[in-house]
Amino acid sequence: MKIADLRQEYMRAGLLEADAHADPLVQFQRWFEGAQAAQLPLANAMTLATVSPGGAPAARVVLLKGVERGGFVFYTNYASRKGRELAAQPRACLVFLWAELERQVRIEGRVEKVAPADADAYYAGRPLGARLSAWASAQSQPVCGRAALERSLEEMGRRHGESPPRPPHWGGYRLLPEAIEFWQGRANRLHDRLLYRRAGTGWKIERLAP
């Protein structure tokens, strides 16, 4: 079958303004809980899109680790490509795709670092191997081979033991949304798209054409 011939009809549900919560964070929580209830693999996986100082876009999948203080939180190496791009341009876009539910959520906004105490608390709860790898891996930098990474991990284990501190180059970001779009697949490609935009202290909802 040709790729162009791959098609799917969307029939599962709809999203009407009367059914959408006035607060997009509450609406997101509803949909996220629905993805968890459906036992979707990696329901917290999201595409993070950033832009370089020169305007080149980049995207990768990261994991949502919380919705708190009005924003969407994830953790990474500050010296990674995404970390460098966020330092130069602290704005980003997140996209969740729950294909089995025929749903997407797109979130745009500015990005800030989480407080060191919050990063410390999250880091301390990670498995030991994950904590050590934050020291062992110079994320996004060239490496001569897999063996070099494994040797580095072993060295970090000898150096830090069972209680490695959080590396100064590793921590969290919080995306504070300015726009959130909820997309629900519908029959005949007449999909439901509800866009929330900041309006003072609240939100304005408008329907977009599919």
Side-chain angles (χ1 to χ4, degrees):
M1 179 179 290
K2 296 180 181 178
I3 293 177
D5 292 333
L6 293 173
R7 292 184 176 87
Q8 175 180 327
E9 194 61 77
Y10 301 94
M11 303 292 291
R12 291 184 60 93
L15 179 61
L16 302 179
E17 289 84 342
D19 299 324
H21 198 280
D23 185 336
L25 296 182
V26 176
Q27 182 63 35
F28 175 84
Q29 190 64 33
R30 287 178 176 176
W31 274 22
F32 186 73
E33 290 174 357
Q36 290 181 299
Q39 299 183 330
L40 302 187
L42 291 177
N44 62 329
M46 58 188 184
T47 299
L48 166 67
T50 56
V51 64
S52 74
R60 74 290 288 164
V61 177
V62 299
L63 298 178
L64 176 71
K65 290 300 178 179
V67 181
E68 54 193 47
R69 300 178 188 176
F72 296 78
V73 176
F74 60 95
Y75 289 85
T76 191
N77 187 316
Y78 290 145
S80 65
R81 177 177 177 178
K82 55 186 171 296
R84 297 193 304 270
E85 291 179 345
L86 288 171
Q89 174 56 275
R91 301 185 64 81
C93 179
L94 302 173
V95 177
F96 291 84
L97 171 62
W98 298 308
E100 294 86 344
L101 301 179
E102 301 173 354
R103 288 174 172 173
Q104 296 183 60
V105 181
R106 182 172 55 85
I107 306 159
E108 301 175 17
R110 62 183 180 86
V111 177
E112 63 182 18
K113 288 183 177 179
V114 305
D118 293 337
D120 288 342
Y122 174 73
Y123 180 83
R126 303 183 89 204
L128 177 59
R131 283 179 280 151
L132 291 172
S133 72
W135 283 100
S137 175
Q139 192 175 107
S140 301
Q141 298 302 312
V143 62
C144 62
R146 176 76 192 182
L149 288 172
E150 293 175 349
R151 286 194 301 269
S152 180
L153 184 64
E154 292 173 359
E155 170 59 26
M156 292 303 105
R158 289 190 293 269
R159 181 180 302 178
H160 297 293
E162 298 289 319
S163 301
R166 178 175 63 87
H169 58 263
W170 190 96
Y173 292 98
R174 180 183 298 107
L175 187 147
L176 299 167
E178 297 168 359
I180 304 181
E181 179 190 330
F182 294 86
W183 182 100
Q184 176 71 62
R186 295 295 296 270
N188 302 314
R189 298 301 191 265
L190 290 180
H191 310 306
D192 288 325
R193 297 177 60 189
L194 297 188
L195 176 64
Y196 293 70
R197 290 188 184 275
R198 282 285 186 188
T201 58
W203 297 87
K204 176 184 177 182
I205 304 177
E206 58 185 356
R207 176 173 289 269
L208 303 181

